Amino acid sequence: MPCNCCEITDSAFGEKEAKSQLREYRRKGPAKQTRFILEAIRSLHLKNAELLDIGGGIGAIHHELLEDVASTATHVDASSAYLKEARNETARLGHTDRVKFIHADFTDVEANLPRADVVTLDRVVCCYPDFHRLLGAAARHSQRALALTYPREAWYLRIAWPLMNFFQSLRKDPFRVFMHPISEMDGLLQREGFQRVTLRRLFVWEMALYQRAAD
Ligand SMILES: C[S@@+](CC[C@H](N)C(=O)[O-])C[C@H]1O[C@@H](n2cnc3c(N)ncnc32)[C@H](O)[C@@H]1O
C-alpha cells in the first residue's frame, strides 16, 4: 500500500515526547506493558539471542534485554527523535557496539534485514494502517518468538480511539491511531507458523507472546 507513514510517524513522535519518555524511563524503568513483554521473553530462557525491535522508541526493550537475554539488537524506527534518545541511552549503558539503529519504516527496509530470534513491537501496530503488511513482515523475521502490545478491543477504547482521531483531524494532523482486530492479527500470526503462549491485559494495552509452533 503506498503510504507516507514514515514521514507522518516521524513528525508525530517528536523531540519533546522522546526526551520526556527517556526521562520517565530513567526515573521509573520500563512502562508496565513493556515489562509484560520483558517478562514474557525472559520466560523463554533464551541466551545470546538476536533481537529485532520494531518501533522501539527510546529503546527500553533492548536496553533491558541486552543485560541477560540478547547479545545483539537491531532497532528500526520511523522516528528520528526517538532514535536519537535511544542512541544516547545505548551509549550511556555501554551497549553501542551491540545495537544497530535504522531510521525507516520497517516495511520499506525489511527485505534487506536478516531474521532475528526474537521480534518485538511494543505499541507499534496501533500506529500503522496496514497491520497485515507490518505484522506479516515482522513474523517472517522471527525465528523463535514475537511479542507485541496493542490496544484492547474494550468498549471504552472503541469510543476513545475514534475520538482521538477526530481531534487529530481537527488539528489537521495526519497521524492516526488504529485498533486492529485482534482475532485477525492472531490468525495472521498463526498462518505464519506461530502460536500464542502468553496473553496479559492492562486497562488499555494487551500483550501477546507468540512462539514458532515447532519450538
Ligand atoms: C507509540 S510509539 C511506541 C514506542 C515504544 N515501543 C514504546 O512502547 O514506548 C510507536 C513507535 O513506533 C514507531 N513506528 C510506527 N510504525 C513504524 C513502522 N512501520 N516502522 C518503524 N517504526 C514504526 C514510531 O516511530 C514510534 O517510535
Side-chain angles (χ1 to χ4, degrees), residues 68-187:
D68 54 353
V69 171
S71 53
T72 58
T74 301
H75 177 168
V76 185
D77 207 296
S79 159
S80 48
Y82 270 154
L83 278 176
K84 185 175 163 206
E85 300 309 319
R87 268 201 193 92
N88 289 342
E89 187 65 0
T90 298
R92 196 180 73 87
L93 295 170
H95 292 161
T96 298
D97 295 344
R98 297 161 68 196
V99 186
K100 183 175 177 187
F101 293 97
I102 300 172
H103 178 219
D105 177 335
F106 175 68
T107 63
D108 290 340
V109 296
E110 53 105 0
N112 302 318
L113 294 178
R115 296 175 84 204
D117 298 301
V118 177
V119 174
T120 50
L121 301 106
D122 188 6
R123 302 188 303 154
V124 181
V125 285
C126 49
C127 301
Y128 197 77
D130 185 350
F131 78 87
H132 292 98
R133 189 166 173 211
L134 179 61
L135 214 45
R140 288 189 292 280
H141 277 75
S142 170
Q143 308 195 97
R144 303 190 67 170
L146 183 150
L148 74 162
T149 57
Y150 46 81
R152 291 176 55 182
E153 285 171 326
W155 65 266
Y156 43 87
L157 297 182
R158 287 188 194 281
I159 297 170
W161 244 237
L163 266 181
M164 283 194 278
N165 285 335
F166 173 68
F167 287 115
Q168 286 292 101
S169 68
L170 285 187
R171 280 198 291 265
K172 302 207 182 321
D173 183 330
F175 180 73
R176 296 288 179 273
V177 288
F178 301 91
M179 193 183 230
H180 299 303
I182 296 172
S183 63
E184 288 186 31
M185 293 195 287
D186 180 60

Side-chain angles (χ1 to χ4, degrees), residues 38 40-51 64-73 98 116-118 143-145 211 215:
L38 297 170
I41 291 169
R42 287 189 168 122
S43 75
L44 301 175
H45 303 293
L46 301 173
K47 289 281 169 220
N48 297 318
E50 287 173 2
L51 169 71
E64 300 289 323
L65 292 184
L66 283 169
E67 295 298 329
D68 54 353
V69 171
S71 53
T72 58
R98 297 161 68 196
D117 298 301
V118 177
Q143 308 195 97
R144 303 190 67 170
Q211 262 189 298
D215 269 2

Side-chain angles (χ1 to χ4, degrees), residues 199-210:
L199 186 68
R200 294 181 74 181
R201 291 195 179 111
L202 292 164
F203 188 67
V204 172
W205 303 104
E206 185 165 297
M207 188 286 303
L209 172 70
Y210 286 80

